[in-house]
Amino acid sequence: KRVPGKEATILDSAHNLREVQMIAIAEDDSLVRWKKLEKPVIAAPPAGIEATGFRDPCLWSEVGTDGNEQWFLIVGSGMRGVGGCALLYRAKTGSKLREWEYLHPLVVGKKNAKTWPETTGDTVDSGEMWECPDFFALDRNHCLLYSTERKVFWTTGIYSDLKFKPNQSGLLDHGAFYAPKSFLTPDGRRILWGWITETRPEAEFQRAGWAGVMSLPRELGVNDGKLTIKPAAEVLSLRSVKEAVTIREGAPVHRKLANLRREIVIGNLSAKQGLTLRLNQNGKTLWQLTLDGFQGLAHVEANEFKLPIGAAPALRLFLDGSVIEAFFGESEAITARVYGLLPGEAELELTSAGEGLITGEIFELKTISPDKMSSEYPAA
């Protein structure tokens, strides 16, 4: 809805809009047909807040002290000049989620050094807007995920009296991973899916006719207050042909890739070892990852982050067409895009440094569906 500038929650050179919260009701169990309610259930951000955005609701229910179920939601938002936030609402009793009472910000963050609009025309870039918040209980903690500054952040802490007090925080993924959403499996696991964004120029993906893909499902946990992340167990069903490899200093491993579907598992890495993984083609390195056990760091293109030495496996890396998803122990992850790899021409190279042997496995992966976009259809 177009509104005066002071009421807008999306305000830039192309937009002057106020976001609202709507409801759609499924008309069949297959969730194919939906009916949208005509009027918004939350028509504007709370009064008195100069909101920098108002979108991406996250709902959950709790049993109150009276034994009755109560529904809550947070909406991704922010306060101009202050930082991003998640605004907490409670559904009015008996309203069937049609009427909501604003309570307070669940938690408020901080902006970065950028200013709006002098430096950036986007309050997400300045950290003054949190997109896609996700809030849930996990391993006797509560966890809040939110997307801002083109990254996804996690916080764990204590949720009490309808307020969230963060204790620890960090990056969920160091690369091209954004706007994730989680759900509970029937056996109680918290599974996360994310949007893998494009890193090539817009003209290229416009020419290709598609942009962005979904990540592999990832299982979340909390260990000593820190969020853990690993591929969901179901991903193992994609494994096909397996090859065991041993890497020693001065004897690199080279493997031609007949297709672009692989999982590489490195089982061990000590503080006296290093490993470099390259994807080469026609004598050129198109992508490179280095595990520096000596310094305890991982280097991936322009990214550098702490490497969990002694974690097993040290690395699980998935290649599917132009997508790379890499997991280091259960504490760090990075998603990357590598364009231009061609089946039959691309080559995997593994090189080690330091004392002793590094062991691993290379799995060929099965396609999920032969008639859907996958590594059989190059990203070009």
Side-chain angles (χ1 to χ4, degrees):
K1 178 180 178 181
R2 291 193 175 275
V3 294
K6 290 185 178 180
E7 299 178 24
T9 59
I10 300 181
L11 180 62
D12 55 35
S13 59
H15 305 94
N16 186 17
L17 306 173
R18 183 175 68 204
E19 298 154 294
V20 300
Q21 306 308 307
M22 307 287 291
I23 283 183
I25 302 171
E27 295 186 315
D28 59 84
D29 291 340
S30 61
L31 306 182
V32 172
R33 295 187 304 275
W34 294 75
K35 179 181 179 180
K36 298 178 181 179
L37 299 189
E38 293 183 3
K39 295 183 179 180
V41 294
I42 305 178
I49 292 179
E50 192 175 357
T52 56
F54 191 65
R55 54 187 175 270
D56 307 331
C58 169
L59 286 81
W60 71 92
S61 65
E62 300 176 18
V63 177
T65 55
D66 58 1
N68 294 320
E69 183 182 46
Q70 293 181 317
W71 280 90
F72 297 85
L73 71 78
I74 51 173
V75 181
S77 188
M79 304 176 189
R80 197 175 307 281
V82 177
C85 66
L87 302 175
L88 180 63
Y89 289 79
R90 177 171 52 200
K92 293 185 178 180
T93 303
S95 70
K96 297 182 179 180
L97 308 185
R98 303 314 196 262
E99 298 179 44
W100 293 88
E101 170 194 12
Y102 172 66
L103 300 177
H104 48 253
L106 181 70
V107 65
V108 179
K110 297 180 180 179
K111 70 183 299 296
N112 58 32
K114 296 179 180 178
T115 58
W116 188 97
E118 291 82 1
T119 306
T120 175
D122 190 337
T123 52
V124 174
D125 283 343
S126 65
E128 293 170 87
M129 168 61 197
W130 286 356
E131 297 184 293
C132 301
D134 195 5
F135 187 60
F136 46 84
L138 184 63
D139 295 342
R140 299 182 299 280
N141 291 258
H142 268 76
C143 182
L144 173 69
L145 310 180
Y146 59 91
S147 298
T148 192
E149 301 177 61
R150 310 306 162 189
K151 297 290 185 183
V152 182
F153 295 86
W154 61 263
T155 62
T156 59
I158 303 300
Y159 174 58
S160 178
D161 297 327
L162 303 181
K163 293 186 178 181
F164 177 60
K165 181 180 179 181
N167 290 329
Q168 295 193 48
S169 61
L171 272 180
L172 186 74
D173 189 293
H174 294 268
F177 183 90
Y178 201 70
K181 194 65 180 176
S182 70
F183 69 96
L184 274 178
T185 62
D187 61 3
R189 291 175 295 148
R190 177 63 61 171
I191 301 296
L192 185 80
W193 301 83
W195 167 33
I196 299 176
T197 57
E198 295 295 325
T199 60
R200 55 183 167 171
E202 182 176 350
E204 293 186 16
F205 61 75
Q206 289 280 3
R207 188 164 54 248
W210 64 277
V213 294
M214 297 305 294
S215 72
L216 291 170
R218 306 177 177 191
E219 182 178 340
L220 303 180
V222 176
N223 182 12
D224 196 25
K226 181 176 174 59
L227 190 75
T228 63
I229 184 168
K230 63 182 179 180
E234 287 79 359
V235 173
L236 294 173
S237 66
L238 298 176
R239 288 179 174 178
S240 180
V241 179
K242 179 179 80 170
E243 177 193 2
V245 293
T246 301
I247 313 150
R248 59 173 58 87
E249 187 173 31
V253 171
H254 296 268
R255 295 292 183 270
K256 280 285 187 180
L257 301 177
N259 56 60
L260 304 180
R261 303 187 310 273
R262 293 291 187 280
E263 178 186 354
I264 296 101
V265 180
I266 301 300
N268 64 295
L269 188 78
S270 76
K272 297 181 179 180
Q273 293 175 317
L275 176 75
T276 297
L277 183 153
R278 297 183 179 91
L279 290 170
N280 303 324
Q281 190 164 277
N282 299 324
K284 294 182 179 181
T285 297
L286 300 188
W287 190 81
Q288 178 173 308
L289 173 155
T290 298
L291 307 183
D292 183 349
F294 308 97
Q295 300 294 322
L297 296 172
H299 304 271
V300 185
E301 299 177 304
N303 295 280
E304 178 183 281
F305 50 89
K306 187 177 180 180
L307 184 66
I309 300 298
L315 172 70
R316 284 185 71 185
L317 182 145
F318 296 85
L319 168 68
D320 183 16
S322 65
V323 174
I324 294 172
E325 294 185 66
F327 301 85
F328 308 84
E330 294 185 3
S331 61
E332 304 292 343
I334 189 166
T335 303
R337 305 299 298 271
V338 53
Y339 302 101
L341 291 175
L342 296 173
E345 296 184 26
E347 176 194 68
L348 169 67
E349 177 187 339
L350 296 167
T351 304
S352 71
E355 301 177 359
L357 304 177
I358 297 175
T359 59
E361 297 171 319
I362 301 173
F363 296 89
E364 187 171 338
L365 299 179
K366 295 177 285 188
T367 56
I368 295 174
S369 175
D371 62 349
K372 301 296 183 183
M373 184 174 290
S374 72
S375 58
E376 299 301 311
Y377 302 84

